[in-house]
Amino acid sequence: MNLERELADIVGDDHVLTDPSVTASYTTDWTGRFHADPGAVVRPGTTEQLAAVVRVCAAHGVAMVAQGGNTGLVGGSTPRVDEGLQVVLSTRRLTDLGEVDTVAREVTAGAGVPVSSVQRAAKAAGLRYGVDLASRDSATIGGTVATNAGGLRVVRHGTTRAQVRGLQYVLADGRVVDRLAAPPQDNAGLDLTGLLVGSEGTLAIVTAARLRLVPPETTAGEVTLIGCRDMTEALSLIPPRGVRAAEVMLASGLSLVRRVGGLAQPLEREHPVYLLLETDELPDLPDDIDAAVDPALWAYREQHTEAIATEAGARGTVVHKLDVSVPLERLGAFVDALAAATTPYDVFVFGHIAMGNLHVNVLGATDDEVDGRVLTLVAQHGGSIAAEHGIGIAKARWLPLTRSAAEIDLLRAVKAAFDPHGLLNPGVMLPG
Ligand code: FAD
Ligand code: MLT
Ligand code: ZN
């Protein structure tokens, strides 16, 4: 039987999309850098439907690209040009959100539930979800699990991995594994749930997650923007405790955000580096420091991604988003060396400083040569070429820079164990 007909028999005609004017938002990534036309976009409404779709695709030998909110920044959620016929498996209709368990402090969310919906449900129950990111209204629980998203509260609560208590997922042959109700302590065999977190849709398709919630903060907190000489000074001003968020931006990004967003000069003077802190109490700062305290100062940091995308669009180009981390003691040296690695392009650097995680956004590059230069620099500084966004297809070829041949052999063996026919997200994560 025809593939499209079989898929429609499972999910209904309305949920198999093939018209390019309808599929466009599923087939181009958030940055506009990656695009390909798939065979179809399929939108199952239940785990059972998703499993049946996987079985049909597997029977036809058709590759599947899992997609949540399509806010990923490494080209992992859209089809790719050189992998033949692919079905985009959208999880956006998997929106069941269970009751918050206020005793266990947990909630179960379908893969398609946006992060902000979990945040709201947690808040209504007097709790919080520990992950927050500017894409909160579109990014899904499944996508954030698959990428092990970090975000703005990572210094306080860790990455998504630290929030995942259990998962339900569909294997490449269509079997469903349900570990949602796993007890808090469970050493019975290898931690397969942990392995799936951060697997970028290459091992299985996540259909639901059991998430840990955290108690509310006891005070409103203080948001302080601080002008700094350099990265080293910014690092030295992060208090040893009571830190809810610690973010960094360089002057070029701050001035772009001001221009695009029409925002006022936030401090008395301009500075090479800006540190944004959210802390339990006002931080202890030197007397002569240029700083301001106001929750609205978050806008200067949160608007970076949108402002850079807007600027790229205005210049008729796309942004190369490099999300890297280096050990804290190498952060200053790394940023100093970046200028040479990114010449002659415009570069905007910002990120989650307490984790050594910088987002290096390059504008104007027409191929990925500059990616190689920056990522090689990261390797030379003992860092990681993918701190929180994943490898996707954007960085697969660069993985050997920071993972050994032995590690890559193991990654390939794990992939083959989960997906022997290479049908789940081909081209993602592993170098070709
Ligand atoms: P998608 O983009 O749809 O998919 C991402 C990857 O996960 C793909 O490889 C896809 O195949 C896979 N996948 C998706 N759903 C599933 C599933 N159910 N099962 C298996 N695999 C799946 N990221 C951060 O880490 N921190 C940030 O602070 C942050 N801020 C952002 C701000 C903005 C404005 C934007 C646009 C993006 C930001 N991101 C950030 C990146 C992005 O939001 C995250 O990577 C997020 O986790 C992606 O979720 P998604 O639902 O959009 O996933
Ligand atoms: C952020 O921290 O704002 C994100 O990871 C998004 C980005 O890198 O643009
Ligand atoms: Zn980030």
Side-chain angles (χ1 to χ4, degrees):
M1 215 201 304
N2 163 287
L3 173 67
E4 241 176 84
R5 188 64 260 144
E6 283 185 62
L7 295 173
D9 284 347
I10 298 165
V11 299
D13 288 348
D14 289 351
H15 298 298
V16 179
L17 316 176
T18 50
D19 176 348
S21 66
V22 181
T23 59
S25 66
Y26 297 86
T27 56
T28 303
D29 82 308
W30 194 89
T31 65
R33 187 176 166 196
F34 303 101
H35 166 82
D37 287 312
V41 175
V42 183
R43 306 191 309 165
T46 61
T47 298
E48 294 68 34
Q49 284 187 4
L50 193 142
V53 166
V54 170
R55 282 194 291 275
V56 164
C57 290
H60 284 265
V62 168
M64 291 157 268
V65 177
Q67 186 181 100
N70 197 17
T71 65
L73 300 171
V74 289
S77 51
T78 45
R80 35 227 69 123
V81 275
D82 45 5
E83 297 288 349
L85 184 64
Q86 296 146 75
V87 163
V88 173
L89 251 176
S90 169
T91 60
R92 265 185 256 178
R93 291 177 66 226
L94 302 180
T95 51
D96 281 351
L97 183 53
E99 286 280 305
V100 171
D101 178 338
T102 51
V103 176
R105 292 195 191 127
E106 290 175 2
V107 68
T108 299
V113 174
V115 170
S116 60
S117 299
V118 172
Q119 292 173 337
R120 275 195 299 276
K123 192 171 176 198
L127 295 166
R128 287 180 308 124
Y129 182 47
V131 173
D132 190 25
L133 62 184
S135 53
R136 59 184 76 79
D137 291 329
S138 308
T140 61
I141 291 304
T144 50
V145 167
T147 56
N148 186 25
L152 305 168
R153 304 281 157 189
V154 67
V155 61
R156 186 77 147 189
H157 303 296
T159 63
T160 299
R161 173 168 284 116
Q163 329 305 325
V164 174
R165 292 269 198 244
L167 291 178
Q168 183 191 65
Y169 48 94
V170 175
L171 297 174
D173 60 8
R175 282 179 297 165
V176 178
V177 177
D178 194 328
R179 295 295 296 166
L180 286 172
Q185 271 199 304
D186 181 12
N187 284 346
L190 293 179
D191 177 11
L192 297 175
T193 296
L195 191 57
L196 281 180
V197 178
S199 62
E200 300 188 48
T202 62
L203 302 184
I205 297 166
V206 174
T207 46
R210 183 81 178 157
L211 300 167
R212 157 189 180 245
L213 303 174
V214 295
E217 300 285 11
T218 50
T219 61
E222 304 286 355
V223 178
T224 313
L225 182 69
I226 307 161
C228 306
R229 274 191 310 277
D230 53 26
M231 245 343 144
T232 309
E233 184 180 35
L235 274 171
S236 75
L237 295 175
I238 301 174
R241 64 188 70 83
V243 179
R244 299 179 185 185
E247 298 290 311
V248 73
M249 326 164 237
L250 298 196
S252 57
L254 191 104
S255 93
L256 179 73
V257 165
R258 283 187 50 207
R259 176 159 63 75
V260 173
L263 301 179
Q265 158 85 15
L267 300 181
E268 277 177 21
R269 301 185 301 280
E270 294 194 354
H271 302 271
V273 173
Y274 295 84
L275 174 69
L276 183 89
L277 290 177
E278 186 171 321
T279 44
D280 292 345
E281 292 166 8
L282 277 178
D284 252 344
L285 295 173
D287 289 341
D288 58 347
I289 207 94
D290 187 11
V293 180
D294 186 344
L297 290 163
W298 262 113
Y300 292 88
R301 167 62 182 88
E302 282 212 6
Q303 288 182 19
H304 265 70
T305 309
E306 294 281 354
I308 294 164
T310 303
E311 179 68 6
R315 295 189 196 181
T317 184
V318 291
V319 56
H320 283 227
K321 295 189 84 75
L322 302 167
D323 155 50
V324 306
S325 60
V326 291
L328 293 183
E329 72 274 12
R330 312 289 292 273
L331 215 50
F334 172 74
V335 170
D336 290 345
L338 259 182
T342 51
T343 301
Y345 309 113
D346 282 338
V347 62
F348 302 97
V349 179
F350 57 99
H352 316 290
I353 184 172
M355 317 304 290
N357 178 189
L358 295 179
H359 301 311
V360 180
N361 285 226
V362 183
L363 271 191
T366 51
D367 58 30
D368 60 358
E369 189 224 332
V370 68
D371 301 21
R373 291 209 301 264
V374 173
L375 300 179
T376 301
L377 196 64
V378 169
Q380 287 162 352
H381 284 77
S384 166
I385 64 162
E388 61 168 6
H389 297 163
I391 294 283
I393 54 170
K395 295 185 200 158
R397 64 181 278 216
W398 308 110
L399 191 61
L401 282 174
T402 54
R403 301 305 291 262
S404 67
E407 286 176 300
I408 291 175
D409 283 349
L410 281 173
L411 294 177
R412 285 193 201 285
V414 171
K415 167 76 174 166
F418 274 84
D419 180 20
H421 304 294
L423 295 178
L424 298 181
N425 249 354
V428 163
M429 194 184 293
L430 289 164

